[in-house]
Amino acid sequence: MLGVSWDTVRLFLHVLAATVWVGGQITLAALVPVLRRIGGTVPAAAARRFRQVAWPAFGVLVITGIWNVVAVRPQIHGRYETTLIVKLVVVLISGLTAFLHERARSKLGLAVFGALTAISALAALFLGILLAG
Ligand code: HEM
């Protein structure tokens, strides 16, 4: 068996949190049509439950993300640094649009901020793989 290092723990926690933030949004979006058929308020109840795991996951992403930055510091220059900065901007957008999505009162606001949250989350995932590659 390969040995487990702190790098293993760091990346395991980062990727686990990413599966909740990104995968959770995709799963919830896929369930909404069925939940809506059960009852008008069911999608909102499911979303309220999801946010109780989503925001802690986002918090773990930020904390393990900072740990990542400390761990890979010698690599942070040139194109790696540019990619990391773009990723941080995308992560900020993902968090901000999720916050605005939760507070949206119109169907349009819900849809636009929800879509922006998901697209930016997917972009952060892709950029993360690019950084680790
Ligand atoms: C929506 C939020 C985020 C998602 C979905 C995400 C996703 C990922 C993924 C999937 C990896 C690749 C892990 C691997 O293959 O080993 C990664 C790596 C990385 N992430 Fe994130 N991340 C997020 C937020 C952050 C934040 C906030 C930071 C910095 C504060 C950050 C910094 C990094 C760094 C530096 C790496 C490279 C780690 C290494 O090569 O050891 N990430 N991220």
Side-chain angles (χ1 to χ4, degrees), residues 10-11 14 21 61 65-66 68 72 80 87-88 91 125 128 132:
R10 169 173 63 83
L11 289 170
H14 199 65
W21 183 256
L61 275 163
I66 294 166
N68 284 345
V72 302
Y80 188 99
K87 179 180 177 183
L88 295 181
V91 170
L125 183 68

Side-chain angles (χ1 to χ4, degrees), residues 11 14 80 83 87 122-133:
L11 289 170
H14 199 65
Y80 188 99
T83 309
K87 179 180 177 183
L122 284 169
L125 183 68
F126 184 82
L127 291 164
I129 300 293
L130 206 53
L131 288 171

